[in-house]
Amino acid sequence: MPRYESAPQLTNDYITSVWEMLPRYVRPTLLLQSETLSAQLGCDITIASETFQYTGSFKFRAAYNLLSSVAESRIVTASSGNYGQAVAYACKLLGKKCTVVMPVTSAQVKVAAVQSHGGSVDLIDVQKISRNERVQQLLDEQPGAFSAQAYDDYRVVAGNSTLGMEILNAAAFDVILVPVGGGGLSSGQVVARDHAGARTEIIGAEPQPGNDAARSLRSGTLTYNEREPATIADGARTLGLGRLNWEILQHGVADIVEVPDDITLEALRRYFRYLNLKVEPTGALSLGALMTAPERFQGQRVCCIVSGGNVDPTVYASALLGE
Amino acid sequence: MPRYESAPQLTNDYITSVWEMLPRYVRPTLLLQSETLSAQLGCDITIASETFQYTGSFKFRAAYNLLSSVAESRIVTASSGNYGQAVAYACKLLGKKCTVVMPVTSAQVKVAAVQSHGGSVDLIDVQKISRNERVQQLLDEQPGAFSAQAYDDYRVVAGNSTLGMEILNAAAFDVILVPVGGGGLSSGQVVARDHAGARTEIIGAEPQPGNDAARSLRSGTLTYNEREPATIADGARTLGLGRLNWEILQHGVADIVEVPDDITLEALRRYFRYLNLKVEPTGALSLGALMTAPERFQGQRVCCIVSGGNVDPTVYASALLGE
């Protein structure tokens, strides 16, 4: 495995220890082969679904690995979505207290999910204060609290790499297709591949509205969106990749496919129709990438990662009806 | 295991052989524990979901076990739903040809699913000819064809019993809650319990509109609905239990809970919200039974069987929105 300047702690020994410990605390991913999708797209497709992971997304792998390794008992984080739930549930299991900063516009179901795990929700008006500023305020008010990063942390990347471990153990895939937001999940797959010494290509699937990672890869320089991108894939509404994530992805991914939102929604509908799988829009990005560039994957053995399943019923119903 | 007059073939030796063979051809059920539902309902709930079984429902267990045991290469059956898909796919795997009689009003997605597995669909106007009459016509036209029953056949019951085997192997449940239509799945659970020598109670979950099985159990006589019941649980729109199924259930189930349709739909929504699980209305009946009579299950270790996940997007979207 390469050495990374921004995280010298990311060693083979460290990954080995995480792969030994973390699987005892997470649910194994659900692997599903699909004859129908394979026939439609001309390749051999397996889905690795994290929709039944604790708190409904892969983020629990990251949150549990990170928070079980820090001594602090008070945790602060900013998340409007899956990471907040994952941190809240991990804190509950680990006997820590957490505060999750969320925009006041967050879906009620997401606020309720954090609270149901015993987390405190701190609602902010993002027009008036940024999430990071508010996290800093809370850290100033609570000396000794720990700020949990959602992707730019080697312990997050290592936690996410356990999903890659499960996938690589299951079959000799040519490609793993993985949604890209801040780059935590995708860089975890690169680390897993390199640690296992496998030759599997890792290919990112990024929403076309908000294609900072694809642009970064093309230009060779970490590039940011000017504002939070307006994409249906709400888990990928990030300004840019984390520093460590970029360092890992720059030479670690073979490509990043930009997926238009309408194809992401069509992928969501195919999961519903052909696999009985409820996925959130962000989770549908990897199948969306296959549908965007099917010729790229002809005849290959492809694993599509579904990152999570948490989506509001009204959003999901609209997506199903194609509205 | 008791001897059943209407199926002397249903012996311990036969069940042992099916439990040995069939798991090689079916997907294991997905077992999910739910802290949230357990807290809401005051018992310890595990879901056994057949939504990821081949063709999206438990029916594949029955169809494959039945059709792999008959010599005939032409199969005829009547089904507007999951059994038709399961028979078509089992026939594809076994190199047989099948015709599925379906009402002309069947959802297009269900017709397409049968056809996608290579099955012929025979559409009928049920105002003019019954499904059974049409099956008989086809059998007369195709001498040597085999008529595949959906529930009233010992090989169907034995196939379905493999789900019970998986559940009983997983944990010492006090109760297995199981949807009841024709009684094929529920009688399979009774047979599994008795064959395994377990003490688990088997309790049926039947739609209140069309409560023939509950009435049969109360009266001690096999009782029929006057017409196909108008329930949202389309997999349970049966006139009555099969003869063998009734013989097994009469002394084999502890109870049958009648579930109002609005509670079935609320159960479907809870699966969506708390488990990321897409279920069809019939599949939601067992959780619906728990919600209908929660006091009956306080403190118990309950396994709720989700029989399948196939549902039209429009029906599902309406259910999500509570329309």
Side-chain angles (χ1 to χ4, degrees):
Chain A
M1 195 165 73
R3 284 281 177 153
Y4 296 106
E5 262 180 46
S6 39
Q9 307 96 327
L10 206 54
T11 62
N12 279 310
D13 280 352
Y14 174 63
I15 299 294
T16 298
S17 72
V18 172
W19 287 16
E20 210 176 286
M21 177 282 288
L22 194 60
R24 296 202 290 270
Y25 301 95
V26 302
R27 285 188 178 144
T29 201
L30 177 67
L31 294 166
L32 292 169
Q33 287 187 277
S34 173
E35 265 188 41
T36 308
L37 293 179
S38 296
Q40 288 174 356
L41 292 161
C43 54
D44 180 355
I45 303 178
T46 298
I47 308 304
S49 178
E50 287 284 285
T51 57
F52 302 113
Q53 187 52 264
Y54 293 111
T55 68
S57 85
F58 77 96
K59 292 277 188 183
F60 180 75
R61 294 177 188 264
Y64 194 89
N65 193 53
L66 174 62
L67 299 177
S68 64
S69 75
V70 303
E72 289 87 343
S73 64
R74 298 194 69 89
I75 310 296
V76 176
T77 195
S79 164
S80 56
N82 289 329
Y83 193 59
Q85 288 187 50
V87 165
Y89 188 58
C91 282
K92 180 181 176 182
L93 296 176
L94 293 163
K96 297 177 190 283
K97 284 192 183 304
C98 80
T99 303
V100 181
V101 174
M102 302 178 85
V104 72
T105 52
S106 301
Q108 180 49 34
V109 59
K110 293 187 175 178
V111 173
V114 169
Q115 290 169 332
S116 78
H117 301 308
S120 302
V121 172
D122 187 271
L123 292 174
I124 57 165
D125 179 348
V126 290
Q127 307 297 329
K128 295 188 184 151
I129 186 169
S130 80
R131 299 179 208 201
N132 289 343
E133 284 165 343
R134 180 58 186 153
V135 166
Q136 195 51 55
Q137 281 184 352
L138 289 168
L139 290 171
D140 293 343
E141 288 167 19
Q142 306 178 11
F146 176 80
S147 167
Q149 299 298 315
Y151 40 90
D152 200 357
D153 186 298
Y154 72 98
R155 293 159 292 192
V156 164
V157 173
N160 294 335
S161 78
T162 57
L163 174 58
M165 175 197 74
E166 292 182 32
I167 293 170
L168 294 165
N169 281 342
F173 293 104
D174 298 308
V175 181
I176 295 175
L177 263 166
V178 51
V180 176
L185 182 60
S186 48
S187 59
Q189 306 321 298
V190 169
V191 165
R193 186 264 320 272
D194 294 345
H195 182 66
R199 312 192 70 172
T200 307
E201 282 190 330
I202 312 295
I203 297 185
E206 188 179 37
Q208 193 174 67
N211 60 350
D212 55 281
R215 286 185 287 130
S216 297
L217 203 66
R218 276 197 295 273
S219 67
T221 316
L222 183 50
T223 306
Y224 295 88
N225 299 309
E226 282 181 28
R227 61 188 70 80
E228 191 169 284
T231 167
I232 185 75
D234 59 341
R237 285 181 197 149
T238 40
L239 291 180
L241 297 168
R243 224 177 111 219
L244 169 62
N245 313 102
W246 164 239
E247 200 186 339
I248 296 172
L249 293 173
Q250 180 171 17
H251 304 291
V253 294
D255 204 353
I256 291 180
V257 179
E258 297 169 48
V259 187
D261 275 5
D262 58 341
I263 297 190
T264 300
L265 289 170
E266 174 59 20
L268 177 152
R269 287 188 286 271
R270 290 203 196 182
Y271 279 129
F272 177 92
R273 174 161 177 180
Y274 299 115
L275 272 90
N276 281 340
L277 196 62
K278 174 205 168 191
V279 309
E280 60 184 72
T282 312
L285 279 168
S286 49
L287 180 59
L290 250 178
M291 293 163 59
T292 301
E295 66 293 344
R296 169 79 179 74
F297 303 95
Q298 286 308 292
Q300 294 200 294
R301 199 160 181 192
V302 181
C303 180
C304 287
I305 293 178
V306 172
S307 49
N310 300 327
V311 50
D312 271 350
T314 47
V315 172
Y316 194 75
S318 297
L320 282 188
L321 301 173
E323 282 164 2
Chain B
M1 195 167 71
R3 286 282 179 150
Y4 295 107
E5 260 180 46
S6 39
Q9 306 96 327
L10 205 53
T11 63
N12 279 309
D13 280 355
Y14 174 63
I15 298 295
T16 298
S17 71
V18 172
W19 286 16
E20 210 175 286
M21 177 281 289
L22 194 59
R24 294 202 291 269
Y25 301 96
V26 302
R27 285 188 179 146
T29 202
L30 178 67
L31 293 167
L32 292 169
Q33 287 187 280
S34 173
E35 262 188 44
T36 308
L37 293 180
S38 296
Q40 288 174 354
L41 292 161
C43 53
D44 180 355
I45 302 179
T46 298
I47 309 301
S49 178
E50 286 285 284
T51 58
F52 302 112
Q53 187 53 263
Y54 293 113
T55 68
S57 84
F58 76 96
K59 293 278 187 182
F60 180 76
R61 295 177 186 262
Y64 193 89
N65 193 52
L66 174 62
L67 299 177
S68 65
S69 75
V70 304
E72 290 87 343
S73 64
R74 297 195 69 88
I75 310 296
V76 177
T77 196
S79 164
S80 55
N82 289 331
Y83 193 59
Q85 290 187 51
V87 165
Y89 188 60
C91 282
K92 180 181 178 184
L93 297 176
L94 293 162
K96 299 176 190 282
K97 282 189 185 303
C98 80
T99 303
V100 180
V101 175
M102 301 177 86
V104 73
T105 50
S106 301
Q108 180 49 34
V109 60
K110 294 188 175 178
V111 173
V114 169
Q115 290 169 334
S116 78
H117 301 308
S120 302
V121 173
D122 188 270
L123 293 174
I124 58 165
D125 179 347
V126 290
Q127 307 297 328
K128 294 185 183 153
I129 186 170
S130 80
R131 299 178 206 200
N132 289 343
E133 283 165 343
R134 180 59 187 153
V135 166
Q136 194 50 55
Q137 281 182 355
L138 289 168
L139 291 171
D140 293 343
E141 287 166 20
Q142 306 178 12
F146 176 80
S147 167
Q149 299 297 315
Y151 40 89
D152 200 358
D153 185 300
Y154 73 97
R155 293 160 293 194
V156 163
V157 173
N160 294 335
S161 79
T162 58
L163 174 57
M165 175 197 74
E166 291 181 34
I167 293 170
L168 294 165
N169 281 342
F173 292 104
D174 297 310
V175 180
I176 296 175
L177 262 168
V178 50
V180 176
L185 182 59
S186 49
S187 59
Q189 307 321 298
V190 170
V191 164
R193 187 264 319 270
D194 293 346
H195 182 65
R199 310 192 74 172
T200 306
E201 281 190 329
I202 312 296
I203 296 184
E206 189 179 36
Q208 193 175 66
N211 61 350
D212 55 282
R215 286 185 287 131
S216 296
L217 203 66
R218 277 198 293 273
S219 67
T221 316
L222 183 50
T223 305
Y224 295 89
N225 299 310
E226 281 180 26
R227 61 188 70 80
E228 192 169 282
T231 166
I232 185 76
D234 58 340
R237 286 182 196 147
T238 40
L239 291 179
L241 297 168
R243 224 178 110 218
L244 169 61
N245 313 101
W246 164 238
E247 199 187 338
I248 296 170
L249 294 173
Q250 181 172 18
H251 303 292
V253 293
D255 204 353
I256 291 181
V257 178
E258 299 170 47
V259 187
D261 275 4
D262 59 340
I263 295 188
T264 300
L265 289 170
E266 174 60 20
L268 178 152
R269 287 188 287 271
R270 290 203 195 182
Y271 278 129
F272 177 93
R273 175 162 178 179
Y274 300 114
L275 271 89
N276 280 340
L277 196 63
K278 173 205 169 193
V279 309
E280 59 184 74
T282 312
L285 278 168
S286 48
L287 180 59
L290 250 179
M291 293 162 60
T292 302
E295 65 294 344
R296 169 79 178 74
F297 303 95
Q298 285 310 292
Q300 294 200 295
R301 199 160 180 191
V302 181
C303 179
C304 288
I305 293 178
V306 172
S307 49
N310 300 326
V311 51
D312 273 350
T314 47
V315 172
Y316 194 74
S318 297
L320 281 188
L321 301 173
E323 283 164 359

